[in-house]
Amino acid sequence: MNFPFYIAKRYLHSKSSQNAVNIINFITFLVIVIGSAALFIVLSGFAGLKTFSLSFTNVFDPDIKVTPQTGKFFTISPSQEEQLKNMEGLASYSKELEEKVLLYHREKSHIAFVKGVDRQYNKVTGVDSTIIYGTWTINEVQGVAGIEISNLLGIGTDQYRNPLMIAALKPGKGFISPQSKKAIYNELPIVLSGVYGVEESLDKKYVFADLDSVRRLLEKDSTQLSGINIKVHHEKDIPSIKNEIAAVFNNTVSVKNRKEQNSTLYKMLNTENVATYLIFTLVLVIALFNVVGAITMMILDKKQNSKTLYSLGTTLKELRRIYFVQGVLVTTLGGGIGVLLGSLLIGSQVFFEWFKITASLAYPVEFQFMNVLIVLATIMVLGIVAAKIASSRINKKLITS
């Protein structure tokens, strides 16, 4: 067995004759355990929040979305549509037409977006799973709106006598005179078949209607679209399929995967995660100053032992290595126990949901093996630095005095 490791292991288990040194060592070990457990719990909490936040948008976002590079609309020819149908790896696709409109019901109004979709839309997205009440029924008469729109306009489902009115500006040029205001709008009555609920910003943004009805409302022909939503068989094929789609449209459209569709949200969540990690790492840095103090106290406490070992032929380098290894062992063992305790807490939250945000919603957490590696690596690196600083106190003057 390696000599410095053997002595360091003995020092790790042995107690000092001075009670103060034992207390300092215990507090140091406890701080490492608590610090590593806290870091792991926070990282797991942010991982859960990230998954929870992205779940809101994932029901609306397809695997791949095609949108115009400039303007609001682009055209698709019959030959291009045929190429999409025959594209390998593509499961299904859905066409959409979207525009900002005025919604009004009786004396209440709200600015939102109408999204004209075909029958394939709920096959490429999970939007139909967000229905709170009613059904996902889209046809020339019926549509679906968000819960916020429903509340703002005071409209429910199946109100055939007082449908939701969608008003869109007619395409054209020139000045608008006060006498011709009514002539500049196209209107589409919609009876809500269902109401969806995801999160506030999305719940007040969209009304889903029949694609052909929205085409007539916006005065667009069958080749004009604002987007194509695509579902693939396997996520690993997304990069190649994106390139094929771009080639079909001669690189005149924007083709984005799910992450690119929500790039701002991903950047925000990743930035928050990194910032939190750095803050807690700083706390660990401060806490691991205790390791330096504890090893220094151990060096002074074991001074006679070090003199004996030096007299028996142990070099200064080996003596420094003894206390260096001891510091690494303390931080690694404390970090491992901290991660284990953190894992037990995260596991209990996943299975028992004991900590809740609301009466029905548990705080989202997610156990990721990557977080285990991050915490252990952080503890080990900081422990090595702290042990190196403390063990450097060993010198010939200290041993021979």
Side-chain angles (χ1 to χ4, degrees), residues 288-289 291-292 295 324 327 331 381-391:
L288 284 170
F289 276 113
V291 175
V292 177
I295 295 176
F324 172 78
T331 53
V381 170
L382 295 178
I384 288 171
V385 173
K388 190 70 175 177
I389 293 171
S391 62

Side-chain angles (χ1 to χ4, degrees), residues 36 64 95 100 171 188 219 224 235 261 267 273-274 293 353:
S36 56
I64 299 174
K95 297 180 286 185
K100 183 177 285 188
L188 174 67
E219 297 185 12
Q224 291 179 291
E235 287 190 5
Q261 294 168 50
K267 287 178 182 177
N273 199 8
V274 171
E353 300 183 343

Side-chain angles (χ1 to χ4, degrees), residues 230-301:
I230 294 171
K231 184 177 180 62
V232 300
H233 287 297
H234 305 288
E235 287 190 5
K236 64 180 181 180
D237 297 330
I238 288 179
S240 60
I241 293 176
K242 281 179 59 182
N243 293 332
E244 289 184 48
I245 294 171
V248 168
F249 289 92
N250 298 316
N251 296 310
T252 58
V253 295
S254 176
V255 186
K256 296 181 179 180
N257 58 28
R258 183 174 280 121
K259 186 175 181 178
E260 292 167 339
Q261 294 168 50
N262 297 283
S263 58
T264 302
L265 179 59
Y266 273 91
K267 287 178 182 177
M268 181 189 72
L269 292 172
N270 289 334
T271 301
E272 289 179 349
N273 199 8
V274 171
T276 304
Y277 167 76
L278 292 176
I279 291 170
F280 269 80
T281 299
L282 179 60
V283 173
L284 280 176
V285 169
I286 297 172
L288 284 170
F289 276 113
N290 290 331
V291 175
V292 177
I295 295 176
T296 302
M297 292 293 293
M298 181 66 71
I299 291 172
L300 296 175
D301 184 59

Side-chain angles (χ1 to χ4, degrees), residues 85 141 178 328 369:
K85 289 180 181 178
V141 178
V328 173
F369 186 68

